[in-house]
Amino acid sequence: MRVNKKYSCLPAEEKGIHIINIRAIEDIGYDQHESTLLNSLSKNPDADCKYGLYFRDGKRKVDYILVYHYKKSSAGKTLTRKAQQNDSSVRSTKQDQPLPGKGVQLEMGEGEPHVDYHEDDKRFRREEYEGNLVEAGLELERDEDTKIHGIGFVKIHAPWNVLCREAEFLKLKMPTKKMYQINQTHGLLKKINSVIQKITEPIQPKVAEHKPQTVKRLSYPFSREKQHLFDLSDKDSFFDSKTRSTIVYEILKRTTCTKAKYSMGITSLLANGVYSAAYPLHDGDYEGENVEPNDRKLLCEEWASYGVFYKYQPIDLVRKYFGEKIGLYFAWLGVYTQMLIPASIVGIIVFLYGCATVDENIPSMEMCDQRNNITMCPLCDRTCSYWKMSSACATARASHLFDNPATVFFSVFMALWAATFMEHWKRKQMRLNYRWDLTGFEEEEDHPRAEYEAKVLEKSLRKEHKHKETDKEKLTWKDRFPAYLTNFVGIIFMVGLTFAIVFGVIIYRISTAAALAISSTPSGRSSVRVTVTATAVIINLVVIIILDEVYGCIARWLTQIEVPKTDKNFEERLIFKAFLLKFVNAYTPIFYVAFFKGRFVGRPGDYVYIFHSFRMEECAPGGCLMELCIQLSIIMLGKQLIQNNLFEIGIPKMKKFIRYLKLKRRRSLDHEEHMKKKQRYEVDYNLEPFAGLTPEYMEMIIQFGFVTLFVASFPLAPLFALLNNIIEIRLDAKKFVTELRRPVAVRAKDIGIWYNILRGIGKLAVIINAFVISFTSDFIPRLVYLYMYSENGTMHGFVNHTLSSFNVSDFQAGTAPNDPLDLGYEVQICRYKDYREPPWSENKYDISKDFWAVLAARLAFVIVFQNLVMFMSDFVDWIIPDIPKDISQQIHKEKVLMVEVFMREEQGKLHMLETWKDKDKRKGENCNNHSPRLSRSHSGSLSSCHSYPLDV
């Protein structure tokens, strides 16, 4: 049976370990298999430790886990057996001191261990680091006898005094004994709230934290001097598991390891492979028989299940388990999804209005009327022939579904919706800050990142080598200039690559359209536009998905070479670069269709060519808005279905299956280990590490852009976003609860830089929708025709007004159709969509006055629409207060109550002091009036009287 050896708090000299000697040992590769600082667990797991949730004594809770790789050698096993013979008993308290390991060191010389300098270096660093953790007050216990071969675990427990000390350092707000009544609504509002609560009761999660509270505990930053203010009736639960792991992580980050010139904490040790992982434990299992109730199981049942998709999220329980930062993400996602409901309803109404009025739309009826007999000019040179406008009837009718007067109203509505959503989130955020005791929280500067300190160390060593006296070094812009230059060139190159790919797709569309036009079958010629559009959009989608993953890796690499000082700086710079690249990647094809396609075509007889052979593509007779709608819908739905959902489900499942196969192979090699029940930390080690919230936010921000930027062309975008988000919330929840290791809880009072990005997208959406309505749709040309050119005040004749005439004799040599009689008759005049003078005019084919009238109206509409909607958005922003009135009252009430508590405490101290003085004075008088019989004891009594206040 293996013997436990507890950590010791002895100085390094008493443990037989010398810093100087250790460095010498590193030089010669001395192989000492087991540290005298660490615990070794017994082989059989103890049921009292709840399979890894507690230390071996079953009392001390495991707050954090460090994982490392080690190699078992035959010499190491011999050493272990001989070391066990030197220890005669197992001690359970931290103060127990093991015997000096001289006998162990003598035995080391007898064997001939295999020298592995790299492994020895890692082991010595672990020894020093863990010794420093013990000196910081933490309690450690090691387990190398696990089911995972070659993996060791160090369990960390923070005792009460360490928790109190660190809570004071971190200024954690903890609940006091003082409770107060939360202001309740009265009168009509109270009745309305009670009715709403009864209606929404079936969709509320069945968790205690989600129930409406009428009383709240007063919170105050923890102080060891004022422990009497806090409710310490149950010290085990006063600091919950989330807080305990946060405290331990702070100690791990600032505890140094100075060997081999490394002075960083756990982040550096993880980066250099000294430890392979570090994570807090989950509360327990979430499925199976006889599973004890825990928060993880409750979250799995009431949150991370597709069966409860219609329920509200238990945000307070999410915050309690994962911390404020993750809690705010899911709260924001919930608010965003709720706000999509009214937007979806209005979008459906706009779409249905288009469906209902499609048969009454005069321009599309004129295009579909075969009696008009409008002959259109060829769409390509030589191989394409003349065609009838009525053949584009289906496209014209479909365009009306999204290009109608209701679209303008919907664009204005969505701009106001975006402003309302931002204000609603700010108010929700303030409510959460109040509920989570974050009202006075200010983020302090984080510890420097490991890479930053390594760079600073490298810089200081260079200056020492040049014999320069230096103060505390830091990285300046000169040190980062090569990285900044690389970032600038890299981002420009990536943006240029995106444009080049879009240009390549344009060439594909043009060449494919020309190739399909040669088709001998009429059906093939009639479906050219649909085939080219659909295949080009699918190519764009595939390229976007691939480049998204590539750009994410490149953005991380570009941020790493900048060497930001803190994790917060790193995250903000990474978000900015990743968003810029992914924004350009996702929206460039859409911008091309919306604002560039069909603008630089030229005219028959004088077309614009690419590479002198490819003619620029034109919009359909009904305009480019329908094609924009197809492009937007396929890219949006494809990204959500393939990239967001399938990747999020499929890739974790595949990784889990690969880990299962590896474990199965190991188990087949060691049947005894397979029969043992896994410890909690072993199970969690097999989960995926938490990679941050940036990918989760990024996909939602890109979706927010799809919903707001081009909503004028696709009113159903909010509906598809809503359906996706209902699945996304439960998918992310399931991933956090069941697929990922438990992340370290991070305090945060807002969503950070993402809020500014959302505001920027909201402002940009107003401008883009103004240009889409004005330049991409036919809304403005219809208004101009209706009020300036219509003879009877109707839209009759609009199609003919937008078409110009061309004499086929003016074709350039070699560009006329090869088969001019394809329609069965000879064509003299063909029509094309533009505002130009007719061939019988003096200035034939020049831009007509109608073009300038329409352009002026379009620009005027952009200016009016943009300023009007911006004003309305700012008015909504101004009229809705950022802090709800009841929350501001409660915050003020908390401050008043806190002052009262401290005033009462001071008054109590003064009263007690006065009481002591009065007692002291009375006792002094009694001592002076004593009878002579008691004179012998007078001095003693007097001294005891005067010492009374000191004793008290």
Side-chain angles (χ1 to χ4, degrees):
M1 179 178 176
R2 298 183 62 183
V3 182
N4 287 353
K5 293 189 291 182
K6 293 290 174 184
Y7 278 88
S8 171
C9 295
L10 286 174
E13 290 80 2
E14 295 183 27
K15 298 173 189 172
I17 296 176
H18 251 265
I19 300 300
I20 299 174
N21 292 343
I22 286 173
R23 287 179 179 170
I25 288 168
E26 288 178 356
D27 292 338
I28 64 173
Y30 188 85
D31 188 12
Q32 179 179 346
H33 183 72
E34 289 196 352
S35 167
T36 56
L37 291 173
L38 294 175
N39 263 341
S40 296
L41 294 179
S42 58
K43 187 174 182 180
N44 296 323
D46 191 352
D48 292 336
C49 71
K50 294 186 179 179
Y51 295 102
L53 287 174
Y54 287 82
F55 272 25
R56 190 51 62 177
D57 57 14
K59 297 179 181 178
R60 290 173 293 174
K61 189 173 184 180
V62 177
D63 298 319
Y64 219 88
I65 290 292
L66 301 179
V67 187
Y68 60 91
H69 291 272
Y70 69 94
K71 293 182 179 179
K72 287 184 178 179
S73 61
S74 57
K77 294 178 182 177
T78 306
L79 174 63
T80 303
R81 288 194 296 269
K82 294 185 178 181
Q84 289 171 357
Q85 293 170 5
N86 291 332
D87 291 328
S88 58
S89 62
V90 178
R91 311 189 184 195
S92 59
T93 61
K94 178 185 165 186
Q95 287 75 17
D96 289 342
Q97 301 169 0
L99 295 172
K102 294 180 182 177
V104 176
Q105 294 175 4
L106 288 172
E107 296 293 341
M108 286 292 297
E110 296 178 6
E112 294 182 0
H114 173 69
V115 178
D116 188 341
Y117 298 99
H118 191 58
E119 289 299 321
D120 289 346
D121 179 59
K122 288 183 180 180
R123 185 171 65 253
F124 286 129
R125 285 194 217 173
R126 285 198 296 268
E127 287 178 3
E128 185 202 1
Y129 182 71
E130 290 160 6
N132 292 340
L133 292 180
V134 172
E135 290 178 5
L138 297 178
E139 298 177 4
L140 313 181
E141 194 173 69
R142 170 181 281 176
D143 183 9
E144 290 185 355
D145 187 18
T146 63
K147 295 181 70 176
I148 307 175
H149 181 71
I151 300 293
F153 298 88
V154 177
K155 298 181 281 187
I156 303 177
H157 168 77
W160 173 256
N161 60 326
V162 174
L163 293 172
C164 294
R165 180 190 72 205
E166 297 298 323
E168 186 172 350
F169 291 165
L170 296 174
K171 300 176 183 177
L172 296 180
K173 273 192 169 184
M174 304 303 293
T176 63
K177 296 176 183 176
K178 176 69 176 177
M179 300 181 73
Y180 67 95
Q181 196 81 15
I182 297 176
N183 292 339
Q184 300 294 322
T185 55
H186 300 286
L188 181 62
L189 283 177
K190 185 176 181 180
K191 292 181 180 179
I192 293 174
N193 287 339
S194 63
V195 171
I196 292 174
Q197 285 179 6
K198 288 180 181 178
I199 294 173
T200 59
E201 187 176 358
I203 59 175
Q204 300 290 345
K206 297 177 182 178
V207 296
E209 287 80 3
H210 199 77
K211 295 178 180 177
Q213 298 177 345
T214 56
V215 294
K216 186 178 184 292
R217 285 190 180 273
L218 195 62
S219 295
Y220 185 74
F222 189 82
S223 172
R224 286 172 289 181
E225 294 180 356
K226 294 182 171 59
Q227 286 194 33
H228 57 278
L229 294 177
F230 301 94
D231 184 14
L232 302 179
S233 56
D234 186 4
K235 289 186 177 181
D236 292 336
S237 62
F238 183 73
F239 295 106
D240 57 15
S241 59
K242 164 185 67 75
T243 308
R244 296 175 72 99
S245 63
T246 303
I247 288 173
V248 173
Y249 182 63
E250 287 295 323
I251 298 174
L252 293 176
K253 281 200 295 184
R254 71 165 185 260
T255 302
T256 58
C257 177
T258 56
K259 284 185 184 177
K261 295 184 179 179
Y262 284 92
S263 60
M264 290 75 79
I266 188 63
T267 52
S268 170
L269 297 175
L270 288 169
N272 289 284
V274 178
Y275 291 101
S276 59
Y279 52 88
L281 292 179
H282 279 292
D283 279 359
D285 292 323
Y286 60 90
E287 60 183 358
E289 298 179 0
N290 303 323
V291 175
E292 293 186 5
N294 57 72
D295 287 343
R296 188 188 186 194
K297 185 174 184 294
L298 189 58
L299 282 172
C300 188
E301 293 172 352
E302 294 295 328
W303 182 51
S305 172
Y306 295 110
V308 293
F309 73 92
Y310 59 92
K311 289 189 176 184
Y312 286 101
Q313 298 181 85
I315 292 298
D316 291 323
L317 185 59
V318 174
R319 174 253 178 179
K320 178 185 173 185
Y321 193 78
F322 292 110
E324 287 78 6
K325 192 170 185 177
I326 294 175
L328 280 172
Y329 163 70
F330 281 103
W332 173 83
L333 184 56
V335 169
Y336 171 47
T337 305
Q338 289 175 13
M339 289 293 292
L340 282 173
I341 296 175
S344 302
I345 293 172
V346 176
I348 292 171
I349 293 172
V350 169
F351 178 73
L352 293 177
Y353 170 81
C355 295
T357 58
V358 67
D359 292 330
E360 301 172 5
N361 182 40
I362 296 174
S364 62
M365 290 170 62
E366 288 184 346
M367 289 181 64
C368 294
D369 190 358
Q370 297 184 1
R371 294 172 296 178
N372 287 334
N373 197 28
I374 299 177
T375 303
M376 304 297 293
C377 294
L379 296 174
C380 61
D381 293 342
R382 294 186 300 276
T383 56
C384 298
S385 185
Y386 306 104
W387 56 285
K388 292 284 189 180
M389 174 171 273
S390 57
S391 64
C393 175
T395 306
R397 289 174 63 85
S399 296
H400 178 74
L401 301 179
F402 305 100
D403 187 5
N404 54 68
T407 306
V408 181
F409 158 74
F410 190 55
S411 299
V412 176
F413 170 82
M414 287 304 294
L416 298 179
W417 172 89
T420 307
F421 163 61
M422 300 305 294
E423 291 305 308
H424 179 46
W425 167 244
K426 280 197 288 187
R427 290 169 62 86
K428 177 70 173 180
Q429 194 170 252
M430 282 306 302
R431 289 189 181 278
L432 294 176
N433 285 343
Y434 165 71
R435 267 172 30 202
W436 297 348
D437 299 320
L438 295 170
T439 47
F441 170 69
E442 293 295 334
E443 292 186 14
E444 299 179 357
E445 188 174 357
D446 201 0
H447 299 283
R449 298 176 64 247
E451 293 82 355
Y452 178 85
E453 289 201 345
K455 207 76 175 175
V456 169
L457 178 63
E458 183 183 337
K459 182 181 177 182
S460 62
L461 289 176
R462 282 201 307 267
K463 290 198 173 184
E464 285 177 10
H465 183 67
K466 295 179 181 178
H467 306 288
K468 292 183 179 179
E469 292 183 3
T470 58
D471 298 330
K472 188 175 180 182
E473 291 293 338
K474 63 179 182 180
L475 297 184
T476 61
W477 70 270
K478 292 181 180 179
D479 300 316
R480 290 194 174 105
F481 180 75
Y484 291 153
L485 184 61
T486 306
N487 270 262
F488 178 76
V489 174
I491 290 175
I492 294 297
F493 175 76
M494 292 300 124
V495 173
L497 176 64
T498 304
F499 289 163
I501 291 173
V502 172
F503 183 72
V505 174
I506 294 171
I507 299 295
Y508 162 80
R509 293 161 67 111
I510 296 171
S511 58
T512 306
L516 290 176
I518 309 175
S519 173
S520 58
T521 59
S523 60
R525 290 197 296 270
S526 63
S527 61
V528 167
R529 193 179 296 276
V530 176
T531 305
V532 170
T533 301
T535 54
V537 172
I538 292 171
I539 292 172
N540 274 326
L541 175 62
V542 173
V543 170
I544 286 171
I545 291 174
I546 294 173
L547 286 185
D548 254 2
E549 303 301 320
V550 174
Y551 286 169
C553 298
I554 291 175
R556 180 169 290 276
W557 176 74
L558 291 174
T559 309
Q560 286 173 347
I561 63 174
E562 277 189 60
V563 197
K565 185 176 181 180
T566 62
D567 287 331
K568 184 179 179 182
N569 292 340
F570 180 88
E571 186 180 25
E572 288 181 351
R573 295 186 185 193
L574 172 62
I575 288 169
F576 174 75
K577 293 180 186 64
F579 173 74
L580 178 63
L581 292 175
K582 293 190 176 186
F583 182 89
V584 172
N585 181 41
Y587 295 113
T588 300
I590 301 172
F591 270 93
Y592 164 72
V593 174
F595 303 121
F596 296 99
K597 185 179 178 182
R599 309 290 172 193
F600 311 102
V601 177
R603 61 171 180 80
D606 188 21
Y607 283 114
V608 178
Y609 290 90
I610 302 174
F611 305 134
H612 304 287
S613 56
F614 296 109
R615 224 173 80 182
M616 289 294 292
E617 55 182 345
E618 304 176 36
C619 288
C624 279
L625 197 70
M626 185 61 200
E627 189 171 341
L628 176 62
C629 173
I630 295 172
Q631 185 103 1
L632 185 67
S633 59
I634 292 179
I635 291 178
M636 178 182 177
L637 295 177
K639 273 182 66 67
Q640 289 183 350
L641 291 176
I642 298 173
Q643 191 175 21
N644 297 351
N645 294 335
L646 290 182
F647 280 14
E648 286 191 15
I649 296 173
I651 291 178
K653 293 289 184 186
M654 187 172 64
K655 289 182 178 179
K656 192 174 182 180
F657 181 69
I658 292 171
R659 287 196 302 270
Y660 169 75
L661 292 179
K662 289 181 179 179
L663 288 174
K664 191 175 181 181
R665 193 179 306 148
R666 287 173 181 170
R667 288 170 183 173
S668 63
L669 296 175
D670 195 337
H671 182 68
E672 290 184 7
E673 289 187 356
H674 174 60
M675 295 307 294
K676 293 190 301 183
K677 180 177 174 62
K678 273 191 176 183
Q679 303 287 340
R680 177 77 262 152
Y681 42 85
E682 294 179 77
V683 177
D684 287 3
Y685 177 70
N686 291 324
L687 299 176
E688 281 291 305
F690 175 63
L693 288 171
T694 301
E696 313 299 335
Y697 272 114
M698 188 66 71
E699 65 182 73
M700 288 296 107
I701 297 296
I702 296 296
Q703 184 204 82
F704 182 77
F706 282 123
V707 168
T708 55
L709 292 179
F710 296 94
V711 74
S713 63
F714 190 38
L716 295 179
L719 175 64
F720 289 114
L722 174 64
L723 297 176
N724 174 80
N725 287 4
I726 291 173
I727 301 172
E728 181 73 23
I729 290 176
R730 306 303 164 179
L731 183 64
D732 284 349
K734 197 171 187 64
K735 181 171 68 175
F736 272 82
V737 174
T738 64
E739 301 287 341
L740 297 179
R741 293 175 193 161
R742 188 174 184 178
V744 179
V746 178
R747 286 188 297 169
K749 62 187 301 182
D750 53 40
I751 60 175
I753 193 174
W754 297 111
Y755 181 81
N756 297 329
I757 292 175
L758 284 169
R759 284 189 68 87
I761 291 176
K763 300 294 184 185
L764 184 63
V766 177
I767 301 171
I768 289 179
N769 280 303
F771 277 94
V772 168
I773 295 170
S774 181
F775 286 89
T776 309
S777 75
D778 283 338
F779 178 73
I780 299 300
R782 286 172 185 168
L783 286 183
V784 171
Y785 176 79
L786 186 65
Y787 293 105
M788 290 182 62
Y789 300 105
S790 177
E791 297 177 357
N792 52 9
T794 64
M795 291 301 295
H796 288 287
F798 170 74
V799 174
N800 187 59
H801 179 261
T802 60
L803 297 176
S804 299
S805 301
F806 178 75
N807 192 330
V808 298
S809 61
D810 293 330
F811 272 123
Q812 289 181 352
T815 61
N818 295 332
D819 185 10
L821 300 176
D822 185 57
L823 293 179
Y825 57 88
E826 185 179 358
V827 177
Q828 300 292 332
I829 300 292
C830 67
R831 310 293 297 275
Y832 62 98
K833 190 170 183 179
D834 204 348
Y835 291 99
R836 291 182 180 270
E837 296 291 341
W840 51 83
S841 172
E842 294 182 2
N843 303 313
K844 66 176 184 178
Y845 307 133
D846 285 351
I847 293 174
S848 65
K849 295 179 181 179
D850 298 342
F851 172 82
W852 300 112
V854 172
L855 180 62
R858 281 173 163 166
L859 293 175
F861 176 83
V862 169
I863 295 170
V864 172
F865 182 89
Q866 177 184 333
N867 286 281
L868 178 63
V869 175
M870 287 283 192
F871 170 76
M872 294 171 69
S873 300
D874 291 340
F875 179 74
V876 170
D877 192 355
W878 172 76
I879 201 171
I880 301 176
D882 293 346
I883 305 176
K885 186 177 179 181
D886 59 327
I887 295 299
S888 59
Q889 291 175 350
Q890 297 290 356
I891 293 172
H892 178 70
K893 185 177 181 180
E894 276 196 351
K895 291 180 180 179
V896 172
L897 288 174
M898 205 73 244
V899 171
E900 288 180 2
V901 168
F902 283 115
M903 289 296 294
R904 196 175 296 118
E905 184 183 1
E906 290 297 322
Q907 290 174 359
K909 287 180 181 178
L910 290 174
H911 179 69
M912 188 179 294
L913 189 60
E914 290 174 359
T915 305
W916 286 348
K917 287 181 179 179
D918 291 342
K919 287 184 179 180
D920 187 27
K921 188 176 180 180
R922 286 198 299 270
K923 289 204 174 188
E925 291 175 356
N926 291 338
C927 291
N928 290 334
N929 295 331
H930 259 293
S931 61
R933 291 180 299 173
L934 301 176
S935 60
R936 285 179 296 178
S937 62
H938 177 74
S939 59
S941 300
L942 188 61
S943 64
S944 65
C945 290
H946 285 290
S947 67
Y948 173 75
L950 294 175
D951 294 341
V952 172

